[in-house]
Amino acid sequence: VYDQIDGFNVSDPATGQFQTRISVDAVRSAEVAGSRYSTEFGKGSGGIISLRTGMGDDHWRLTGTDFIPSLESRKGINISGWTPRGMASGPILNGKAWFVDALEGEYDQTIFTELPKGADRNYVWRGSNFSKAQFNLAQNNNLTIGLLVNSLVSPRSGLDPMDPLSTTLRYSTNAYIFSAKDQHLFHNG
């Protein structure tokens, strides 16, 4: 499957999978094509997932969602999951330049009652930050730049009752995707 955000390929180059995370608050539209799509997308024989993000305007907007974590009672009171999101958008220069910044986090904790205390939990921290700015350079010319940062850390990956702490590994990955698009419209079409 060919995966893209704002026209840029974001499929994992090693696996071909869509592992890039972006806050749902930043997404304005999603298009899925299973077959009969334009050749501009190349050889994604399984289909296309195309996400389009929004842009700020001349009004300030701030949003925040899911800032209260989920609790569970397993070996005491613990945070089991937390997925806060926040977004800010608005003008850099009224009528000329705008920005959007969408931040997303995720914390998950798995506790195994079968394992001894201190070796019974795995944590997963995940986060993404999407920033984009548009500059109107002239009446018929604009420049859009963006940066998507993804990070994931799991210090005890693979932990379960059959695979104790000594068999786990520390898994972490980061992705940085920079995009730039200069669009010029010609008067003659």
Side-chain angles (χ1 to χ4, degrees), residues 68-86:
I68 300 173
S70 300
L71 301 175
E72 71 176 341
S73 175
R74 182 179 294 168
K75 291 191 170 184
I77 303 296
N78 298 286
I79 295 175
S80 63
W82 188 36
T83 55
R85 297 190 323 256

Side-chain angles (χ1 to χ4, degrees), residues 37 42 63 82 91 107 110 134 142 147 153 162:
Y37 49 82
T63 62
W82 188 36
Y107 171 78
T110 305
Q134 178 179 320
N142 64 43
L147 177 64
V153 175
M162 301 302 289

Side-chain angles (χ1 to χ4, degrees), residues 80-110:
S80 63
W82 188 36
T83 55
R85 297 190 323 256
M87 188 172 89
S89 66
I92 297 171
L93 183 61
N94 277 342
K96 292 280 188 186
W98 308 271
F99 80 97
V100 64
D101 188 71
L103 183 65
E104 170 194 53
E106 179 182 354
Y107 171 78
D108 292 310
Q109 176 178 234
T110 305

Side-chain angles (χ1 to χ4, degrees), residues 133 137 158-159 174:
L137 304 175
L159 182 71
N174 295 302

Side-chain angles (χ1 to χ4, degrees), residues 102-121:
L103 183 65
E104 170 194 53
E106 179 182 354
Y107 171 78
D108 292 310
Q109 176 178 234
T110 305
I111 301 172
F112 298 99
T113 55
E114 302 88 356
L115 295 173
K117 185 175 182 175
D120 60 350
R121 30 192 103 204

